[in-house]
């Protein structure tokens, strides 16, 4: 409702200030829990709860050092596990979803409409309806407590949402490019690798960003499949840290919580525009 | 790659002199076998995934839902036993349904309401919009994580920040997260706090609404409130619809915050026993995997029903310009 220009200058300014005031008040509510967490991670035990002021009196890193090494194995192991899973999942989604999307967007084959409908339908399917048979399958394959149940499905294009996203995107690439390449003697595979793939850059990056964040944060699957301490990921280890430390070391818990959010936060800082646009145009949840 | 042979295939089937006589249009070429094969090659991974990880498990969980199954022994047929037990002989199941429905009924409208209100404010030409947008969005990005659930538990704990804040105003605190009357509402608040991603979607929709419509409405004497209800809301209904469908589906599947805040128990007194949390307990703590499968199928039916109702109602209130 950008009608401010119709108002006299002083009323316009007044309204603008009111909006800013409301937005700043909202900002404080939004960031207070995060500030409290970061501030608390530098405070001593008794200060964390006795102070409303989120800012610490000094930047004492003791909680970070103690928290990182409080578990066996240390958080180094959990980060390696988490990042490995996330990177492999990104690779899987990029490879498998692009292949599938190209076929749906550009190739003709029998049963295309039916398969496309099934693919769209699978987006809405709650994961819980597949959970137990998948678990039984992975259990019998001996994959429980390995990363395979978290990674292999990505290489089989099970994240249908990204297929759909890519199909939509590939459809906007002019078909004349394909036809020109075909005249120049390119087959389907070369059209895919030389024409389509390079032009799908933006949607590939969106897929990579969201696959990374979602996989890194996917507590439910990691909780179910990873139960040996050495195979645990950051979210699972953090959750166990809550039990292990009890009431004694909130400072360390806060410090590890802050660190556990860092990978997501760094991705956000690097790709802020792309993330916001990705959500706006596709309805992905952050 | 040796896909070059592909190119010669269509050429080989060019209409020849002995094509259909009498000038009748040639029948459309039959689907090309080899082209099918290339497509199926591209679709290979997806087909395997569909069979082994989607369609197979979907049918598998339907079958298991009629059995008693503890993973170690073969499933034992139990007919409708699991379903009957759920609704007649399992108060915790009914409690999990109740908790989840309250959660969905509260978070979806409140979260979307905030998202829309803030999006409208952020759609004004003000300085610092990009900043506000990022800050309001960050909780959405981080909110599903274990760390945030941990923090949330601390904020609403007996000696947490909320009580310290209330004490500052001389109001006596209470234990929010360990009180069965209030624990669920702290999780509702957590989800509302994450209104950033529907907000960004609303914002994108708002930018599509042509300024002329607002100008015309102003000329006709519509005040801002009237313009909001007569211009913004009708033109935004497709986006509102999209957000409603998405948020309902997601809210029914909420898990992490309840699990972390209650230490996996759904407590206090099962007040945060979300549907998926109880499903997890039945399937993976008690190894009642048949029962958990039946629960999963009921959840599937609930979500499908809500989605269908949404699409059915959409015809009455969602406005598409090109109709």
């Amino acid at each position: 409702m950008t009608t401010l220009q119709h108002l006299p200058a002083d009323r316009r300014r007044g309204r603008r200030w009111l909006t800013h005031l409301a937005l700043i008040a909202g900002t404080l509510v939004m960031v207070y829990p995060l500030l409290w967490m970061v501030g608390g991670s530098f405070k001593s035990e008794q200060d964390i709860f006795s102070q409303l002021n989120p800012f610490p009196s000094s930047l004492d890193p003791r909680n970070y050092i103690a928290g990182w090494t409080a578990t066996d194995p240390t958080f180094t192991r959990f980060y390696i596990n988490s990042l490995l899973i996330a990177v492999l999942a990104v690779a899987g989604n990029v490879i498998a979803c692009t292949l599938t999307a190209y076929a749906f967007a550009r190739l003709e084959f029998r049963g295309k409409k039916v398969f496309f409908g099934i693919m769209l339908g699978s987006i809405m399917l709650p994961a819980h309806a597949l959970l137990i048979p998948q678990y039984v399958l992975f259990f019998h394959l001996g994959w429980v407590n390995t990363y395979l149940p978290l990674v292999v499905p990505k290489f089989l294009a099970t994240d249908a949402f990204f297929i759909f996203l890519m199909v939509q995107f590939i459809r906007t690439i002019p078909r004349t490019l394909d036809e020109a390449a075909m005249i120049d003697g390119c087959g389907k595979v070369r059209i895919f690798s030389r024409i389509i793939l390079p032009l799908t850059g933006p949607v590939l990056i969106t897929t990579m960003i969201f696959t990374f964040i979602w996989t890194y944060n996917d507590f439910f699957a990691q909780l179910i499949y990873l139960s040996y301490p050495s195979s645990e990921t950051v979210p699972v280890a953090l959750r166990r840290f809550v039990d292990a430390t009890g009431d004694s070391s909130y400072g360390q818990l806060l410090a590890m919580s802050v660190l556990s959010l860092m990978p997501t936060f760094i991705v956000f800082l690097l790709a802020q525009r792309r993330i916001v646009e990705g959500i706006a145009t596709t309805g992905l949840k952050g | 790659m040796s896909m070059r042979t592909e190119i010669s295939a269509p050429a080989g089937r060019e209409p020849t002199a002995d094509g259909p006589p009498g000038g009748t249009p040639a029948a459309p070429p039959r689907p090309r076998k080899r082209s099918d094969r290339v497509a199926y090659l591209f679709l290979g991974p997806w087909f395997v995934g569909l069979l082994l990880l989607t369609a197979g498990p979907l049918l598998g969980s339907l079958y298991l839902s009629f059995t008693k199954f503890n993973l170690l022994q073969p499933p034992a047929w139990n007919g409708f036993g699991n379903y009957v037990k759920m609704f007649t002989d399992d108060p915790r199941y009914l409690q999990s349904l109740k908790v989840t429905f309250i959660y969905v009924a509260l978070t979806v409208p409140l979260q979307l309401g905030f998202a829309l209100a803030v999006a409208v404010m952020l759609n004004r030409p003000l300085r610092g919009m990009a900043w506000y947008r990022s800050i309001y969005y960050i909780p959405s990005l981080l909110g599903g994580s274990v760390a945030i659930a941990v923090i949330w538990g601390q904020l609403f704990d007996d000696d947490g920040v909320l009580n310290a804040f209330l004490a500052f105003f001389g109001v006596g605190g209470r234990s929010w997260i360990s009180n069965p009357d209030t624990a669920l509402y702290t999780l509702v608040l957590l989800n509302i706090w994450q209104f950033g991603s529907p907000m960004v979607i609303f914002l994108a929709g708002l930018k599509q609404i042509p300024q002329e419509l607002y100008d015309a409405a102003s000329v006709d004497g519509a005040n801002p409130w009237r313009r909001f209800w007569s211009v913004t809301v009708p033109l935004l209904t497709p986006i509102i619809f999209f957000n409603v469908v998405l948020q309902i589906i997601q809210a029914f599947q909420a898990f992490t915050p309840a699990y972390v805040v209650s230490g996996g128990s759904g407590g206090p007194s099962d007040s945060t026993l979300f549907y998926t949390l109880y499903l997890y307990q039945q399937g993976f703590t008690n190894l009642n995997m048949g029962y958990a499968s039946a629960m999963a199928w009921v959840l599937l039916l609930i979500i499908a029903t809500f989605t269908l109702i949404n699409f059915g109602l959409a015809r009455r209130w969602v406005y598409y310009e090109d109709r």
Side-chain angles (χ1 to χ4, degrees):
Chain A
M1 294 194 291
T2 50
T3 48
L4 290 170
Q5 51 270 51
H6 300 299
L7 295 172
D10 54 333
R11 278 191 62 192
R12 207 188 306 164
R13 211 171 301 137
R15 278 215 185 163
R16 225 172 249 178
W17 273 110
L18 271 181
T19 310
H20 271 300
L21 221 62
L23 287 172
I24 290 169
T27 300
L28 293 178
V29 176
M30 297 305 277
V31 299
Y32 183 84
L34 299 171
L35 281 181
W36 181 83
M37 167 181 59
V38 177
S41 69
F42 292 105
K43 290 178 186 170
S44 66
E45 287 304 314
Q46 63 266 39
D47 284 355
I48 292 173
F49 288 104
S50 61
Q51 296 177 346
L52 271 178
N53 175 10
F55 297 103
S57 51
S58 69
L59 288 182
D60 180 354
R62 259 180 303 179
N63 286 329
Y64 283 85
I65 296 162
W68 188 275
T69 53
T71 52
D72 177 34
T74 65
F75 267 82
T76 311
R77 177 83 231 171
F78 305 139
Y79 275 89
I80 292 174
N81 293 345
S82 268
L83 296 179
L84 190 69
I85 291 170
V87 167
L88 287 174
V90 167
N93 260 354
V94 165
I95 294 169
C97 293
T98 48
L99 291 174
T100 314
Y102 172 68
F104 277 128
R106 281 293 205 260
L107 304 180
E108 295 306 323
F109 54 93
R110 249 164 299 165
K112 179 167 165 173
K113 278 200 174 140
V114 176
F115 288 128
F116 193 69
I118 292 174
M119 192 273 288
L120 286 184
S122 69
I123 294 175
M124 298 227 180
L125 204 59
H128 307 88
L130 314 173
L131 178 71
I132 287 177
Q134 282 183 355
Y135 186 88
V136 174
L137 174 72
F138 293 138
F139 178 81
H140 285 297
L141 288 171
W143 287 6
V144 171
N145 278 313
T146 73
Y147 309 139
L148 295 172
L150 303 170
V151 168
V152 170
K154 311 284 177 187
F155 283 88
L156 300 176
T158 48
D159 280 351
F161 194 89
F162 294 115
I163 301 175
F164 175 65
L165 212 62
M166 290 181 196
V167 168
Q168 296 293 86
F169 192 88
I170 293 173
R171 279 179 179 162
T172 65
I173 300 173
R175 267 184 188 269
T176 45
L177 288 175
D178 299 29
E179 283 152 16
M182 207 185 290
I183 289 166
D184 289 346
C186 284
K188 303 279 194 250
V189 173
R190 274 228 228 156
I191 291 174
F192 170 69
S193 63
R194 299 282 166 81
I195 312 278
I196 301 294
L197 211 49
L199 289 174
T200 48
V203 76
L204 286 189
I205 291 172
T206 304
T207 301
M208 292 165 90
I209 293 168
F210 282 100
T211 305
F212 183 89
I213 294 176
W214 288 351
T215 312
Y216 178 80
N217 276 331
D218 181 14
F219 177 63
F220 191 70
Q222 294 166 17
L223 177 72
I224 285 168
Y225 287 113
L226 306 174
S227 53
Y228 292 156
S230 61
S231 73
E232 278 177 0
T233 54
V234 174
V236 180
L238 186 64
R239 164 63 203 112
R240 202 163 53 88
F241 199 60
V242 178
D243 288 342
T245 54
D247 289 351
S248 59
S249 41
Y250 279 123
Q252 293 176 27
L253 182 59
L254 292 185
M256 290 307 102
S257 297
V258 172
L259 289 185
S260 80
L261 296 174
M262 283 323 256
T264 313
F265 198 69
I266 290 169
V267 170
F268 179 68
L269 288 184
L270 293 177
Q272 203 178 344
R273 273 195 86 89
R274 183 89 53 194
I275 287 176
V276 172
E277 275 166 21
I279 293 170
T281 53
T282 65
L284 288 162
K285 195 177 158 68
Chain B
M1 290 251 162
S2 59
M3 287 298 162
R4 278 179 144 271
T5 47
E6 214 2 67
I7 299 307
S8 60
R13 234 179 281 117
E14 299 267 275
T16 46
D18 51 8
T24 47
R30 317 221 72 226
R32 289 164 226 155
K33 268 262 157 68
R34 200 167 300 177
S35 183
D36 275 5
R37 216 179 300 153
V38 177
Y40 293 148
L41 216 64
F42 274 96
L43 286 173
W46 179 76
F47 274 132
V48 175
L50 181 71
L51 277 177
L52 294 181
L53 297 174
T54 308
L58 190 64
L59 296 176
S61 75
L62 182 62
Y63 166 70
L64 288 178
S65 76
F66 295 108
T67 67
K68 284 188 171 185
F69 179 50
N70 68 357
L71 188 65
L72 306 168
Q73 278 124 19
W77 188 256
N78 187 28
F80 281 94
N82 293 328
Y83 293 96
V84 172
K85 187 181 172 208
M86 257 185 242
F87 291 101
T88 59
D89 193 23
D90 186 356
R92 292 194 81 208
Y93 175 77
L94 297 178
Q95 170 69 9
S96 78
L97 263 185
K98 186 179 135 198
V99 165
T100 308
F101 273 100
I102 293 174
Y103 180 78
V104 173
L106 287 178
T107 57
V108 174
L110 285 171
Q111 192 194 37
L112 293 183
F114 271 106
L116 182 56
V118 175
V120 167
M121 270 203 267
L122 289 183
N123 196 36
R124 292 180 187 170
L126 287 178
R127 213 178 289 176
M129 277 306 130
W131 278 99
Y132 289 126
R133 206 170 55 176
S134 294
I135 288 172
Y136 284 110
Y137 173 67
I138 282 177
S140 279
L141 184 77
L142 307 176
S145 61
V146 170
I148 294 296
V150 168
I151 303 312
W152 212 255
Q154 319 269 316
L155 291 177
F156 290 93
D157 210 351
D158 296 3
D159 49 359
V161 169
L162 181 65
N163 282 340
F165 182 74
L166 290 175
F168 185 77
F169 291 100
V171 180
R174 55 193 297 185
S175 55
W176 306 93
I177 220 118
S178 51
N179 180 338
D181 293 335
T182 49
L184 176 60
Y185 302 104
T186 62
L187 298 180
V188 169
L189 262 184
L190 172 56
N191 202 45
I192 296 171
W193 183 62
Q194 299 165 45
F195 64 77
S197 56
M199 176 201 77
V200 171
I201 299 172
F202 279 136
L203 208 48
L206 287 171
K207 291 204 191 306
Q208 304 292 318
I209 300 178
Q211 179 60 39
E212 296 89 69
L213 290 178
Y214 290 116
D215 295 342
S218 299
V219 170
D220 290 344
N223 62 27
W225 193 240
R226 186 66 207 267
R227 288 197 295 269
F228 175 72
W229 284 109
S230 305
V231 180
T232 310
V233 170
L235 287 177
L236 214 55
T237 46
I239 311 267
I240 296 173
F241 171 67
F242 177 83
N243 271 333
V244 168
V245 171
L246 213 68
Q247 296 302 327
I248 288 180
I249 292 176
Q250 281 166 354
F252 268 114
Q253 299 180 65
F255 175 81
T256 305
Y259 183 93
V260 174
V261 163
S262 72
S265 72
S269 309
D270 286 345
S271 60
T272 61
L273 187 67
F274 281 21
Y275 197 97
T276 51
L277 180 51
Y278 189 49
L279 192 156
Y280 168 81
Q281 289 181 356
Q282 283 291 355
F284 294 92
T285 315
N286 308 339
L287 287 182
N288 290 332
M289 291 197 157
Y291 197 69
S293 300
M295 283 188 68
W297 264 82
V298 174
L299 180 66
L300 176 71
L301 293 179
I302 291 174
I303 290 177
T305 307
F306 270 82
T307 308
L308 286 177
I309 290 175
N310 263 324
F311 274 90
L313 290 178
R315 251 169 281 160
R316 303 195 182 184
W317 66 275
V318 178
Y319 167 79
Y320 292 103
E321 261 177 292
D322 50 354
R323 264 199 208 148

